Structures are given as C-alpha cells and as structure tokens.
C-alpha cells in the first residue's frame, strides 16, 4: 500500500539536513504561519506562527512552514540523494511477494514546490515498510538493515538454518542518528 506519509517524513528530512551539514541541530529561526512557493500558499497545520523555533521545536510543532525553509537550505540534489539512500522509490527485496516502490519523482522533475511539499511529507508516496526502514536506520545509528520476515528455517529433519541480518548501507552518520533520536524523544 502506497500513501503520502505527511509529517512522519520530517525526521528523515531533518536527518538529511544535519548529516549533510546544511543545517545544525541547534539552528534557530522565526517562521510565519504561511509561506508562498511558486504561487502556492503553504500554511502551518494550525494556521498559526510558532515564533522562534529550534529544530527540535519544529518537530514538536510539526511546522510545515519551517520545514519548507529547511528543505530550501538542504536543496534538491542533497534531499533527493538522501531519499534514495533511505530507500524511497525502490524496493528492499524482502522475502515476500508484492513489495512496491512508492513514488519518488525523478530529480529532473523537481521544482521548488515539489521540494517544499516533500519536506513535510506530501508529494512523495511511500510504503509503510519504507517508513519503518527509515526510522529503523535512525534508531540503528544510521545503518539500514535489509528487512526480513523469516528469522530461521527449520527443516523436516529438525535442522535449523538461521537467516542472518544483512547490512544494506549506512545512510546517515551515527552522530546524526543520535541527534535526531534525541529530538524525537
């Protein structure tokens, strides 16, 4: 099943920004209740300005307007690269049929409005497994481990074959993962 993840995508975007050095965990700024991107108005969910916020407060307030600003700082190329590294727009090769890719626009189709909406989880379609994997990487010091449904196989003769975890790649630095985990707590 594929859906637009919405605000649960914000920690992924913040991870990309911190890991790439485009933003810092301690950054602060003041944001309005609304921003205009290519003629489209984007509002905070409560349609109110939260005032001065640091990155943790942006997550706490789920501030879409602030996320647009962070997305601008991160930029198309960097955000796209991190989305791909986290596994969005691809499959993980789980040991079950029916896995789908979701939809991540090719980078050449990104305009300012696409970056803006993807920064708060709209305009990108993901699977529940992809979101689970992104959070798994944040919780696992930035390491993405291939998902599996089977831990071991027990044959008819009683012998057991363990299916070992497979590391796919490092998507963010351990320090970045730790900072984002603290923000989420």
């Amino acid at each position: 099943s594929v859906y637009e993840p919405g605000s649960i995508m914000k920690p992924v975007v913040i991870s990309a920004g911190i890991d790439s050095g485009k933003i810092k965990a301690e950054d602060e700024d003041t944001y309005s209740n609304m921003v205009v991107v290519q003629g489209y108005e984007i509002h905070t969910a409560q349609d109110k300005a939260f005032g001065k916020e640091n990155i943790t407060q942006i997550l706490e307030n789920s501030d879409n307007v602030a996320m647009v600003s962070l997305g601008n700082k991160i930029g198309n190329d960097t955000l796209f690269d991190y989305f791909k590294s986290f596994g969005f727009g691809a499959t993980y090769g789980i040991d079950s049929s029916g896995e789908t890719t979701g939809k991540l626009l090719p980078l050449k189709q990104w305009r300012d409005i696409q970056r803006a909406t993807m920064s708060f989880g709209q305009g990108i379609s993901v699977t529940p497994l992809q979101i689970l994997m992104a959070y798994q990487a944040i919780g696992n010091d930035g390491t993405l481990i291939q998902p599996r449904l089977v831990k071991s196989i027990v044959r008819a003769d009683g012998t057991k074959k363990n299916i070992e975890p497979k590391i796919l790649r490092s998507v963010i630095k351990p320090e970045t993962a730790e900072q984002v985990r603290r923000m989420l707590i």
Side-chain angles (χ1 to χ4, degrees), residues 40-164:
Y40 296 94
E41 286 187 9
I42 297 172
H43 293 258
T44 61
Q46 299 87 352
D47 201 24
K48 73 175 210 174
F50 294 100
K52 189 173 189 178
E53 296 173 292
N54 61 34
I55 304 298
T56 300
Q57 290 166 325
I58 291 169
L59 283 175
E60 288 172 351
N61 295 326
S62 195
D63 189 338
N64 294 344
V65 172
M67 288 304 299
V68 170
S69 177
L70 296 181
N72 290 342
K73 289 178 182 178
I74 298 167
N76 290 2
D77 292 339
T78 301
L79 195 54
F80 180 80
D81 288 346
Y82 275 90
F83 281 171
K84 292 295 282 183
S85 186
F86 270 105
F88 298 109
T91 62
Y92 293 104
I94 60 172
D95 46 357
S96 178
S97 63
E99 185 180 9
T100 187
T101 62
K103 183 167 181 170
L104 175 62
L105 283 176
L107 181 58
K108 65 182 178 182
Q109 293 180 16
W110 283 34
R111 299 180 314 162
D112 292 345
I113 190 63
Q114 277 80 30
R115 181 189 59 250
T117 58
M118 283 188 267
S119 72
F120 56 87
Q122 295 178 8
I124 182 172
S125 296
V126 303
T127 67
L129 179 62
Q130 288 170 336
I131 288 294
L132 174 70
M133 294 301 294
Y135 277 76
Q136 175 264 127
I138 293 168
N140 200 31
D141 288 334
T143 302
L144 192 65
I145 298 173
Q146 185 174 28
R148 60 193 170 128
L149 300 176
V150 177
K151 183 176 180 180
S152 64
I153 298 170
V154 179
R155 296 184 181 91
D157 66 3
T159 60
K160 183 177 179 182
K161 177 185 175 190
N162 291 326
I163 309 298
E164 296 300 321

Side-chain angles (χ1 to χ4, degrees), residues 3-72:
Y3 69 105
E4 286 187 334
S7 292
I8 62 173
M9 194 68 159
K10 290 173 181 166
V12 175
V13 173
I14 287 170
S15 294
I18 292 172
D19 200 66
S20 66
K22 306 275 178 141
I23 63 174
K24 293 182 177 74
E26 60 275 5
D27 285 352
E28 290 185 330
D29 207 341
T30 302
Y31 306 97
S32 175
N33 68 314
M34 187 263 298
V35 64
V36 177
V37 179
Q38 291 187 306
Y40 296 94
E41 286 187 9
I42 297 172
H43 293 258
T44 61
Q46 299 87 352
D47 201 24
K48 73 175 210 174
F50 294 100
K52 189 173 189 178
E53 296 173 292
N54 61 34
I55 304 298
T56 300
Q57 290 166 325
I58 291 169
L59 283 175
E60 288 172 351
N61 295 326
S62 195
D63 189 338
N64 294 344
V65 172
M67 288 304 299
V68 170
S69 177
L70 296 181
N72 290 342

